[in-house]
Amino acid sequence: MASRSAAFSWTPKQNKSFERALAVYDKETPDRWKNVAAMVGGKTAEEVKRHYELLMEDLRSIESGHVPFPNYRSSIKDTRGRATVGLTDEDYRLLMHLKLQRQ
């Protein structure tokens, strides 16, 4: 049996495989969780089922308004009108004054 940390640790690759497996094996599929686990790799049927249940809990919380939206920084446009998402005004000011040297 997998350790507790391994049971809760999912790689990005496993999460993507999990998403694909859910698209292939719907709730009517016999042995759904066994099939999903086989597609994911490194997880048991119980682990993928629990992962699904946690995902559904998260979705219900988000949809019911119990999860606040993060306070994203607004995007800033550069001199060419391109968005520079995630930069503060100070970051943007410094970047605009940065001179790149050619070698």
Side-chain angles (χ1 to χ4, degrees):
M1 178 159 169
S3 71
R4 182 175 173 86
S5 63
F8 291 104
S9 176
W10 286 65
T11 66
K13 184 178 177 182
Q14 285 174 318
N15 272 314
K16 184 52 78 176
S17 296
F18 176 74
E19 292 169 8
R20 288 186 179 127
L22 290 178
V24 172
Y25 302 110
D26 67 11
K27 63 182 180 180
E28 304 301 321
T29 303
D31 298 319
R32 180 186 194 189
W33 303 120
K34 182 178 175 184
N35 290 318
V36 171
M39 269 186 84
V40 169
K43 299 292 179 184
T44 67
E46 293 79 21
E47 288 169 331
V48 295
K49 183 177 179 185
R50 181 66 184 142
H51 196 60
Y52 177 81
E53 291 166 349
L54 291 171
L55 176 64
M56 292 298 100
E57 287 175 25
D58 286 348
L59 286 173
R60 282 189 291 275
S61 293
I62 292 166
E63 290 175 349
S64 66
H66 290 105
V67 176
F69 285 101
N71 187 16
Y72 294 114
R73 295 184 215 175
S74 62
S75 66
I76 302 168
K77 302 288 183 184
D78 68 8
T79 56
R80 295 183 183 167
R82 297 176 297 193
T84 54
V85 179
L87 296 177
T88 64
D89 290 338
E90 179 66 10
D91 293 334
Y92 182 72
R93 186 185 67 73
L94 292 171
L95 282 173
M96 294 285 76
H97 291 93
L98 180 68
K99 293 189 184 205
L100 301 176
Q101 296 180 2
R102 292 185 183 184
Q103 296 183 11

